[in-house]
């Protein structure tokens, strides 16, 4: 009786831990899969912080991020259905053994601001992440040790189909979001967000103090300047970054600052308070930007000039790279310089296009989705394109969920109605045959 009760406790504990791990890995893998570039940037942050980024080829952070998100999502699904028990429990344990001491190091030495384990969907501090990983490590140990007790929801004959579809689904989702834009946007620059409102601070709250630092070069010498001591035009722009001088209340948007290249003026407020339309071409590093659709971009600039709309290209690249881009593409639009991280956060495409009005983000397009002359047939005021794009995260999650779940429900239906029924019939025949032989 005692052994039976112990077995029940172990089986219950193993399956509770299994579902806890499954939920964590599914969520972690999914939010990374819908934002592959975001996960790439986080991996680059890690490699840079540890001083090993030069050890890896340039494609490694993106490819590695896509593969890791697929592994996490697949582990979660396998654990949920109780299939591939040895593989899924072993991989879960290995990942937690690796991640737990790593997040302890991050918590102590703080080389990166957050681990990025749940992307931008749920940002945890490094100490919160370490505490979470301690719990998951214990769950992974229990699940691995008692993996034979995990309840299986599908037969072995059908588990291969669920496995293949899971892998196919998560890779398809990643590459779709890479080619277009993330189907779910967890960042402060999502459609419908008012940038000025995102930068506002509640009354009485003490704001954080930030400072824009510009790295300029003259006669082979590089120096850092701020807006207060910005030098004359004989200096060449190299890079810019935003630094935190004093911690305070931090609004969701705190580093949006447009410095017009031709004048050196900060035009942020002027652009965000404009009641008209403004196109923002975002190319965080213009020397790395895709120029395959440059004709469409130039057409949109011409369209903007024709109808009196503003158009700016935002980049963190130095002036010499901007000039090379102009020579290569024939670009005539004005350029503004902005913090590189801000530009990566604004849109996951290089280049990407945003449409704002009175500081509100109305629409965003990846380089592959830029509107063409067949869409821009009238003033934006008269086009659906000029209206705020309606996006419902609940609807999007439901749509993606159905694309994944409906095929699995069909597989489960076949498994229950055909495979298991056939196995039961075969078992009864076997029993009847044994009775006859006796």
């Amino acid at each position: 009786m005692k052994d039976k009760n112990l077995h029940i406790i172990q089986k219950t504990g193993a399956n509770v831990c299994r579902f806890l791990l499954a939920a964590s890995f599914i969520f972690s893998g999914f939010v990374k899969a819908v934002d592959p570039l975001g996960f790439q940037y986080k991996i680059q942050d890690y490699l840079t912080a540890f001083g090993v980024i030069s050890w890896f080829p340039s494609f490694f952070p993106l490819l590695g991020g896509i593969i890791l998100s697929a592994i996490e999502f697949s582990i979660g699904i396998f654990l949920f259905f109780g299939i591939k028990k040895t593989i899924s429990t072993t991989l879960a344990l290995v990942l937690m053994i690796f991640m737990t001491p790593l997040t302890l190091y991050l918590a102590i030495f703080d080389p990166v601001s957050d681990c990025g384990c749940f992307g931008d969907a749920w940002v945890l501090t490094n100490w919160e992440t370490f505490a979470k990983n301690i719990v998951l490590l214990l769950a992974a140990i229990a699940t691995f040790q008692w993996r034979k007790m995990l309840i299986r929801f599908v037969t072995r004959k059908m588990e291969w189909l669920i496995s293949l579809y899971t892998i196919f689904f998560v890779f398809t989702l990643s590459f779709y979001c890479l080619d277009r834009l993330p189907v779910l946007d967890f960042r402060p620059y999502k459609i419908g967000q008012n940038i000025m409102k995102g930068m506002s601070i509640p009354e009485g709250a003490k704001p954080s103090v930030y400072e824009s630092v510009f790295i300029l070069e003259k006669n082979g010498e590089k120096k850092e300047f701020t807006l207060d001591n910005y030098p004359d035009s004989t200096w060449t722009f190299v890079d810019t970054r935003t630094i935190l001088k004093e911690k305070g209340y931090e609004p969701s948007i705190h580093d949006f600052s447009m410095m017009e290249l031709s004048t050196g003026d900060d035009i942020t407020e002027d652009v965000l308070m404009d009641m008209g339309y403004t196109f923002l071409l975002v190319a965080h590093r213009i020397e790395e930007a895709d120029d395959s659709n440059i004709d469409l971009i130039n057409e949109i600039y011409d369209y903007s000039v024709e109808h009196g709309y503003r158009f700016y290209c935002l980049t963190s690249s130095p002036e010499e790279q901007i000039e090379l881009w102009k020579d290569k593409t024939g670009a005539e639009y004005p350029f503004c310089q902005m913090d590189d991280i801000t530009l990566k956060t604004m849109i996951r495409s290089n280049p990407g296009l945003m449409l704002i009005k009175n500081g509100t983000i109305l629409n965003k397009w990846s380089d592959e989705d830029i509107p063409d002359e067949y869409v821009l047939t009238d003033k934006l005021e008269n086009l659906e394109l000029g209206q705020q794009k309606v996006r419902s995260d609940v609807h999007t999650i439901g749509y993606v969920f159905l694309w994944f779940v409906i095929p699995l429900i069909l597989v489960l239906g076949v498994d229950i109605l055909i495979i298991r029924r056939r196995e039961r019939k075969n078992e009864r025949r076997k029993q009847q045959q044994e009775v006859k032989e006796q």
Side-chain angles (χ1 to χ4, degrees):
M1 185 68 179
K2 184 177 179 181
D3 291 341
K4 184 178 180 180
N5 290 337
L6 179 62
H7 178 79
I8 293 173
I9 293 173
Q10 289 176 339
K11 187 173 184 178
T12 302
N15 283 279
V16 168
C17 291
R18 159 257 197 109
F19 286 120
L20 175 63
L21 281 172
S24 178
F25 275 99
I26 290 172
F27 181 63
S28 177
F30 177 77
V31 297
K32 293 186 179 87
V34 299
D35 188 10
L37 283 179
F39 193 33
Q40 174 197 2
Y41 300 149
K42 180 55 66 175
I43 292 176
Q44 288 173 335
D45 289 344
Y46 272 108
L47 298 179
T48 302
F50 290 109
V52 296
I53 193 166
S54 61
W55 297 4
F56 299 91
S58 58
F59 63 82
F60 173 79
L62 178 59
L63 181 60
I66 291 174
I67 292 174
L68 182 57
S69 65
I71 290 173
E72 286 187 339
F73 186 80
S74 299
I75 289 173
I77 295 298
F78 294 170
L79 287 171
F80 179 82
F81 282 101
I83 60 178
K84 307 290 184 185
K85 296 179 184 179
T86 301
I87 294 175
S88 59
T89 56
T90 302
L91 286 176
L93 181 59
V94 169
L95 283 175
M96 295 318 305
I97 288 175
F98 174 76
M99 291 302 299
T100 304
L102 174 62
T103 51
L104 175 61
Y105 177 87
L106 297 180
I108 295 174
F109 298 101
D110 201 32
V112 294
S113 58
D114 69 271
C115 79
C117 52
F118 295 138
D120 291 305
W122 186 11
V123 179
L124 302 175
T125 66
N126 287 330
W127 280 110
E128 289 171 342
T129 301
F130 173 67
K132 180 261 299 180
N133 284 349
I134 287 291
V135 175
L136 293 182
L137 176 60
L138 295 176
I141 293 172
T143 305
F144 176 79
Q145 183 176 356
W146 298 323
R147 58 189 178 279
K148 294 182 179 179
M149 298 182 182
L150 302 183
I151 299 172
R152 173 185 288 274
F153 289 151
V154 292
T155 60
R156 292 183 183 276
K157 292 182 179 180
M158 298 301 291
E159 71 174 21
W160 67 271
L161 194 55
I162 290 179
S163 303
L164 286 179
Y165 183 70
T166 297
I167 295 170
F168 168 78
F169 172 83
V170 69
F171 274 111
T172 301
L173 180 64
S174 286
F175 284 109
Y176 176 85
C177 293
L178 180 64
D179 186 56
R180 306 295 173 173
L181 287 177
V183 294
L184 290 170
D185 194 347
F186 303 108
R187 290 155 292 147
Y189 294 94
K190 64 193 302 183
I191 292 174
Q193 173 70 46
N194 184 277
I195 298 175
M196 287 293 288
K197 185 177 180 181
M199 296 168 66
S200 63
I201 299 173
E203 187 177 350
K206 182 181 178 181
S208 294
V209 178
Y210 290 90
E211 185 174 58
S212 294
V213 176
F214 304 94
I215 303 173
L216 305 178
E217 184 177 9
K218 182 178 181 181
N219 299 327
E221 181 184 9
K222 292 183 180 180
K223 284 189 177 181
E224 294 185 352
F225 299 91
T226 65
L227 287 174
D228 295 331
N229 64 345
Y230 200 85
D232 56 42
S233 58
T234 59
W235 287 82
T236 303
F237 178 87
V238 176
D239 199 0
T240 181
R241 68 177 187 273
T242 303
I243 61 173
L244 176 65
K245 296 190 67 177
E246 185 179 347
K247 180 71 174 177
Y249 173 83
E250 189 169 297
S252 58
I253 298 175
H254 55 263
D255 46 11
F256 187 93
S257 176
M258 296 173 58
M259 189 193 76
E260 191 167 20
L261 183 64
S262 60
T263 63
D265 295 335
D266 188 329
I267 60 171
T268 307
E269 187 172 347
D270 183 38
V271 171
L272 296 182
M273 298 296 288
D274 190 341
M275 297 299 293
Y277 291 99
T278 301
F279 283 102
L280 298 177
L281 179 66
V282 181
H284 67 92
R285 300 300 296 184
I286 207 161
E287 62 272 22
E288 300 171 3
D290 185 357
D291 61 355
S292 59
N293 291 310
I294 196 61
D295 290 338
L296 288 177
I297 294 173
N298 289 338
E299 287 175 7
I300 291 178
Y301 172 66
D302 293 338
Y303 169 83
S304 302
V305 172
E306 180 183 351
H307 292 89
Y309 308 135
R310 293 188 181 210
F311 189 110
Y312 296 99
C313 179
L314 311 181
T315 184
S316 64
S317 296
E319 190 171 351
E320 61 187 33
Q321 294 294 340
I322 294 175
E323 292 302 321
L324 288 174
W325 175 266
K326 289 181 179 180
D327 293 339
K328 181 170 64 173
T329 64
E332 298 178 352
Y333 36 80
F335 284 79
C336 292
Q337 285 167 326
M338 185 180 282
D339 180 71
D340 186 61
I341 295 177
T342 303
L343 297 173
K344 290 178 180 178
T345 307
M346 288 172 65
I347 192 167
R348 300 300 202 208
S349 182
N350 188 28
L353 188 67
M354 294 178 62
L355 177 64
I356 67 173
K357 184 178 183 181
N358 195 25
T360 298
I361 300 171
L362 303 182
N363 216 328
K364 299 165 75 171
W365 299 274
S366 73
D367 182 52
E368 296 295 328
D369 268 340
I370 291 176
D372 56 28
E373 59 185 6
Y374 300 105
V375 178
L376 301 171
T377 55
D378 199 351
K379 291 185 176 181
L380 288 175
E381 292 86 340
N382 303 325
L383 297 176
E384 184 180 349
L385 196 73
Q387 309 304 312
Q388 181 179 315
K389 185 177 180 180
V390 178
R391 294 191 66 170
S392 169
D393 287 348
V394 174
H395 179 270
T396 303
I397 292 172
Y399 188 73
V400 175
F401 182 77
L402 289 177
W403 265 105
F404 182 63
V405 170
I406 288 179
L408 294 188
I409 291 176
L410 294 176
V411 172
L412 289 175
V414 171
D415 187 58
I416 294 171
L417 298 177
I418 298 177
I419 304 298
R420 295 191 185 192
R421 182 177 293 183
R422 184 179 298 167
E423 287 182 349
R424 286 195 295 268
K425 285 182 179 180
N426 291 336
E427 185 66 26
R428 284 197 296 268
R429 288 174 183 173
K430 184 178 179 181
Q431 291 175 353
Q432 290 171 359
Q433 184 67 30
E434 289 177 351
V435 171
K436 289 180 180 180
E437 290 177 353
Q438 292 176 355

